[in-house]
Structure formats: structure tokens, C-alpha cells
Amino acid sequence: MGDKEKKMGKRKSVTIFGYPLSIFFIVVNEFCERFSYYGMRAVLVLYFKYFLKWDDDFSTTIYHTFVALCYLTPILGAIIADSWLGKFKTIVYLSIVYAVGQVIMAVSAIHDITDGNKDGTPDNMTLHVALSMVGLLLIALGTGGIKPCVAAFGGDQFNEDQDKQRSTFFSIFYLSINAGSLLSTVITPILRAQKCGIHTQQQCYPLAFGVPAALMVVSLVIFIVGSGMYNKTAPTGNIMVKVFKCISFAIKNRYRNRSSKIPKREHWMDWAEEKYDKLLIAQVKMVLKVLFLYIPLPMFWALFDQQGSRWTLQATTMDGNFGLMVIQPDQMQTVNPILILIMVPVVDFIIYPLISKCKLNFTPLRRMTVGMFLAALAFVAAALVQLQIDASLPDFPSSTEQQAKFINMVDRPIDITAGNYTFQLEAFQSNEDYYTYGRQFELKIDTGSPVLISLPDGTRNTLVILEEAGRIRNIKFGDVVAKPEEGANAIRFFNGFGMVLNITVGEEGFGNIISKNMSTYVDVPQGTAEFLIKNAAGNQCVFSREFGFGSSYTFIIPPTFTLEENCGQHIKEVEDIKANSIHMAWQIPQYFLMTSGEVVFSVTGLEFSYSQAPSNMKAVLQAGWLLTVAVGNIIVLIVAEAATLPDQWAEYILFAALLVLVCIIFAIMAYFYTYIDPAKIEGNFANLEPEDEKKKNLEVAKKDMVENHNEKRRKSSNSSSDEEETSQTNF
């Protein structure tokens, strides 16, 4: 091993089947890291909504702020690796930061750490929010910082004569990314749906974040274990820094020479010729030409990354029962990686060849335009689904309205006049819908005297009509005014029986319900629930009921109730909120359109960018591409905060319209774009280099001759002066 090789960190690699053993550590490391990132990200927006109790808009804003940071920090990671620490140390140090961030996120989701009164609600939500933000900041720095390093570090493990093995490695490497993404988006939502806690059992976000944190620690350990086998190249300077300096010098030089008397140059980058060679300037021009086309691209990512935010939130209001299995809202994100695995070969080996046979010139830029249009169609599909969801949702009262429904607990039909509404209720029955009122209304039962009823603003209420000693009276109970969270079902019982009843479902209890009173609400998950009903004497029975997602029921136990085997047949039910009726399968078309757009847009975009850029500028374009993703997420958070659209479907249409507009602009830009051959241009400059060098040498030689001549004259002059001074002194 030569001295040069030692300095560059090269060592003789242990190989298996012609591949360096070190790459297996890198591939496993990447799988674990991607599992960690996508697993945490899959449940993130639901964590904001249900644990931190943020509304949909703010949850979306913070989610996309985090994603934007994840795609801004790769530039920083690349500069650190290439200019200072090297790839290996950058990966190790930032992975430690990454793992710490994941652990902090897992800790932030433990509700028991601030639940002093053990009621299941954190007493210090500020602490949980602070921990979450610190954790996400560290994760963004870690995942973004190592993103540009790991793949490049894997490529460094191969010798120059191992092009085939290197190509295979990158295929396996990106397969590990998709495998980690797919598995994590399936597994972590399942972990989240589990119940855990010390004092109260709740959705297990600590487990959903804890497993990705553990995988990140495993990822780091595996990477360090392979340390002795890696080829570690020393940092040689970052090309992006050089490009930025070249552009900066050209701008400054142009500004200094802004006088109209100074001749103009063909391209503004030509003002860098005083300091940088023409080959570098030509390469920067080629990169800038591609980066100019990147300007409209963030709008695509603005729509694409809402799969993890708006579309996931949309799924929380849908029916996830797929027969043999129940799909969690955050698991719908797995449709994207599954479709990717199917669509990529279909598009590459079927669609594109068919288009080619039809003699259509389906250029890369045209493909990207089609991809953007497909993404816009995906949001139109999402808007249509949202319209159906909105039609199925209950009409909750505004802040100045009140709603009421009535339950007749009198053992005969009664006539009710409530405000402007008149109707009849059978015994132990309720009216189907809520009635909306102003601040007060008059209630009249049968021929009795009217009673003035006052209800709080913005509330739903149930008025139970009772008869005691021949006298009619009513009791008011407040109802839920929003869909139950996380697909649960809000259930309560009214005890019209003549004694105290105790009711439990699973590990949850409604407590002892005294006669002629209403229990508190208990959240019951989707599926079959079995309610154990018993009295003080120990007599009991089981009442079973199948529930969907997001409903609310009041179950009436009438005076005729008996604690026997089929006691459920006596119980009457009142549906306060209907279960989610729009199936999650209706989201599949929008996922299909978005994934189709991604395959045509993203894969083609990178391919086009690399084909139009100089060989040493790939990293600059990679940074530019990642920057478009970051800007796209920033667009989402701006729209989420700034838009005042009352309906979610309208926001989907707004995004679709913006992307169609951008698509048209991009199509016009693509029409005027001229494809180039970077290798040919670089070759032309390579051929011209000797002539340029010759001219430069002649200029230097002339300059040296002039300087030598002037130097001789100065010396001659100095010599004469010295002689005169000497003669004067001697004299």
C-alpha cells in the first residue's frame, strides 16, 4: 500500500462475492435509518393532533416545517463532510444527534411524566411541546446532514475497476430505502394503536416513536462496527462552495464594472473570468441553466408531501374496515411505496416503450410536465372524496347556536312542541336529528304549560323527558360537539332502571349510574364491544354491539330492563353522531394518481438533471433538487396559515389550480429549453485549454520581460546613486 493511498484512507478491503464487506454495514445502516425516519414521520401529524391537541392547520404547518428542515440541512451536511470532517465522521456525529432527537421524541410522548393527578391528561403540556420541538430539530439536523453522505460513502468503498459492483450497490442501497420506508409505515401505526401507560391506558405514541429511536441507535452501532473495514477518503473541498464563490465573484465583478463605457460580455457569468478558468465557468453556466428550470418544481412537492399531513387527516374521518383487517389512517401512506414498486417497472418497461412505438417524442421535460398534471388530478380526486366526507359529517352548531334532541322516558307516546318544531315521540325513543335554536326556546309537553329552556352557546344537548308522580319534567345533558378522536366511538348510558347499575367495557368503566341519570362518555374502539352490566346484588348480563369509526351513541336502559341472558334486546339506542361512512379505499385513486405523477416526475427529473450537468456538478444539482422539496413544504405551511378557506375541499382545489398554473409555466419553459451534451462542451474546453494556456504563458512572459527590464533600470539607477554617495563621502 503506497503512501498516497494511506493518506487518502485507502485500505485493502475484505470482499464477499467480489463486493467489499463494508457495504453490507452501510446498506443495513441505511435500512434502519430510513425505518427510523419514515416510521416516526408516519405518525407525526396524528401525534400533533391527538396528543398535543393542535388543530389540523397548525399540525399541518409544523409537520411541513419539519419536513422542510429535513431537506434544507443536506446542504450543510455535504459542506461539513467535504470541507471539514469527512463523510465517515459526519455520518457518525450527526447520527448521534439524530438518535438523541428520536429518544427525546419518544420521551415527549409519555403522558405520565407530567400527569400528576393521574387523569390521563398531561398537566404540563408546554414541557411535552418543548421536548417535541427539540427532538424534531435534532432529527432534522441529523437525517438531513447524513442524507448526502451515506450513498456517496458507500460508493467510496469500491475501486475504480468495480463499476458494475458499484452500480449494483446503488440499486440495493435504494431498495433498502424503500424497504425501510414500506415496513415502517406499516408497523409504526400498528404500534401507535396499542394501549400503554402507567396510570391510564392511551394510544401508545411512546412505542411508535421509541421503536424508530431504537432502530436509529442500532443503525449507528452497525455503522461504527464496520469502521475498520471502510475506505475513508479525506475531505477535499466541496464543489458547492466553489460554485457559490464563482457565482458570487461574477456578480460582484459585474457590479464593479457596471459603467456603460465598459464593454458587455456574452453571459453575466463571464465576469468571473478574471479569477476562474473558463471550464469551471462553462460548467456553472450548465448548472444554472438546469437550476432555472427548477424554479416551478417546488409546487409539485407542495402537493406530494401532503400525503403525510392533509391526506392522513382526511383518512381519520373515513371508514378503515377492510373486512379481514382494519387499516389505521396513518397506514394509508403505505399505498405510495407499494405503488412505487409496481409502477416503476410498469412505466419503464411498458408505458415508455409503447409511447416510443407510437413515434411520440416524450422528452424528459414533457414527462415531468405530465407528472405535475397527474399530481394536480390527484388533488382534484382528494377534493371529490372530501366533498363526500363533508356530506356525511354532522352539522355541528356554530358559536352562536345551540342544538337539542329529546328522549321520551315516559311509558307512553308524548307530543312535544319545542320552539318552532312539533313532533311526537314513542315511549323510550328519541328524535333522529338535532334541532337548532337560538339562545332560548319554549318547551311544551302534551297539554302542559310551556317551559323556557336556555342552552349554552355552541353546544349540543339531550333533554330527557321524565314523569314522576304524574308530573312531567326534563333533565338536560351535554352532548359531544365534535367527532370522537382517533376513530373511537363516544358511548354513554342513560339508566331508566329502578336501581343503580354498574357498567364496564373491557378495562374501561362507566362507573355506578344511579337511576334516572346519564353516565359520562367512554371512548370505545372500532369492532365488537361487550358491555358488562350488573347491579348491587351481583346479578349481571352482557350487552354486545358492533361499532364502526367515529360514532356516538346514547344507550337507554328502560324501566322494563331485566338482567337476563339476552338483556341487550331491551336496550334502546340513540345515534347522536353517525359512524364514518366513506371508506378509506376511496383514497386509493388519489394515491394512484400521485404515485404515477411521482414516478414520471421525480425519477425523470433526476435523470434529466444528471444528463444536463457536468460530471463534477452532480452534487450541486442534488442539493438544488432537495432544495425544491424544502421550498415545496414551505409553500404548504404558508398556505395552511394564510388561506382562510372554510372547507378543506376548497383548499385541495386551490393547490390543484396552482399546480396546473405552474405546470403551464413549466411547459412553456421546457418548450424553449435546448438540450445540451455536457461531456461534449467540456471536451471542447479541454481541447482549447492548451491554446489558452499558451496565450496565458506568452502574456506572463511579456509581463516578466517588462518587470525584469524595469528591475535592471532600478538597479542601474541605484548603483549610480551609491557611487555618487561614496565619492561624496570619500571626498
Side-chain angles (χ1 to χ4, degrees), residues 147 160 287 333-334 419 436 490 565 677 684 687:
K147 192 185 291 288
E160 293 180 3
V287 168
Q333 297 174 59
T334 60
T436 301
E565 186 176 349
D677 184 351
N684 291 338
N687 293 332

Side-chain angles (χ1 to χ4, degrees), residues 324-342:
L324 296 176
M325 64 189 331
V326 174
I327 300 296
Q328 299 296 326
D330 34 5
Q331 282 182 310
M332 282 301 292
Q333 297 174 59
T334 60
V335 174
N336 176 257
I338 291 171
L339 286 175
I340 282 284
L341 296 175
I342 298 170

Side-chain angles (χ1 to χ4, degrees), residues 405-515:
K405 68 164 44 179
F406 305 86
I407 295 177
N408 176 20
M409 291 303 296
V410 181
D411 193 12
R412 59 178 173 79
I414 58 174
D415 294 316
I416 299 177
T417 300
N420 296 326
Y421 305 99
T422 300
F423 50 94
Q424 186 180 74
L425 285 181
E426 297 294 326
F428 315 123
Q429 297 293 324
S430 169
N431 52 312
E432 186 174 339
D433 298 316
Y434 283 89
Y435 297 120
T436 301
Y437 298 97
R439 294 183 181 276
Q440 296 178 327
F441 65 92
E442 286 189 345
L443 175 64
K444 181 180 178 182
I445 310 297
D446 290 336
T447 57
S449 300
V451 178
L452 189 63
I453 303 294
S454 297
L455 300 174
D457 288 342
T459 61
R460 278 186 156 194
N461 303 269
T462 294
L463 276 70
V464 179
I465 311 300
L466 301 167
E467 186 175 33
E468 295 177 342
R471 181 171 172 269
I472 299 290
R473 69 184 186 94
N474 68 83
I475 309 175
K476 291 181 289 186
F477 298 98
D479 300 354
V480 292
V481 291
K483 272 276 191 179
E485 294 183 348
E486 302 185 63
N489 300 276
I491 307 301
R492 64 180 178 177
F493 284 83
F494 180 82
N495 182 11
F497 196 44
M499 63 179 66
V500 176
L501 295 175
N502 182 278
I503 304 176
T504 57
V505 54
E507 297 181 359
E508 299 288 340
F510 293 86
N512 291 322
I513 311 171
I514 62 176
S515 181

Side-chain angles (χ1 to χ4, degrees), residues 235-355:
T236 56
N238 188 272
I239 187 65
M240 284 187 289
V241 175
K242 195 172 183 180
V243 170
F244 292 148
K245 286 182 177 179
C246 183
I247 294 172
S248 176
F249 179 80
I251 295 171
K252 289 177 183 176
N253 196 31
R254 177 68 185 90
Y255 181 76
R256 283 195 296 264
N257 295 277
R258 62 187 181 275
S259 173
S260 58
K261 297 179 181 179
I262 299 175
K264 293 183 179 180
R265 301 185 183 181
E266 185 179 352
H267 191 282
W268 64 271
M269 274 304 303
D270 293 333
W271 289 97
E273 288 179 354
E274 281 81 352
K275 187 174 181 180
Y276 296 92
D277 62 76
K278 290 184 178 180
L279 177 59
L280 176 64
I281 294 171
Q283 290 171 331
V284 173
K285 287 179 184 177
M286 288 186 274
V287 168
L288 290 175
K289 189 177 180 182
V290 177
L291 290 178
F292 178 71
L293 279 177
Y294 280 5
I295 293 174
L297 304 190
M299 201 65 224
F300 173 87
W301 299 114
L303 276 69
F304 178 82
D305 277 334
Q306 290 189 59
Q307 293 175 94
S309 57
R310 290 297 196 195
W311 287 12
T312 298
L313 293 172
Q314 184 186 63
T316 62
T317 59
M318 302 177 78
D319 180 6
N321 189 351
F322 280 77
L324 296 176
M325 64 189 331
V326 174
I327 300 296
Q328 299 296 326
D330 34 5
Q331 282 182 310
M332 282 301 292
Q333 297 174 59
T334 60
V335 174
N336 176 257
I338 291 171
L339 286 175
I340 282 284
L341 296 175
I342 298 170
M343 293 296 295
V344 169
V346 168
V347 169
D348 283 344
F349 299 114
I350 299 177
I351 304 298
Y352 288 160
L354 284 175
I355 293 174

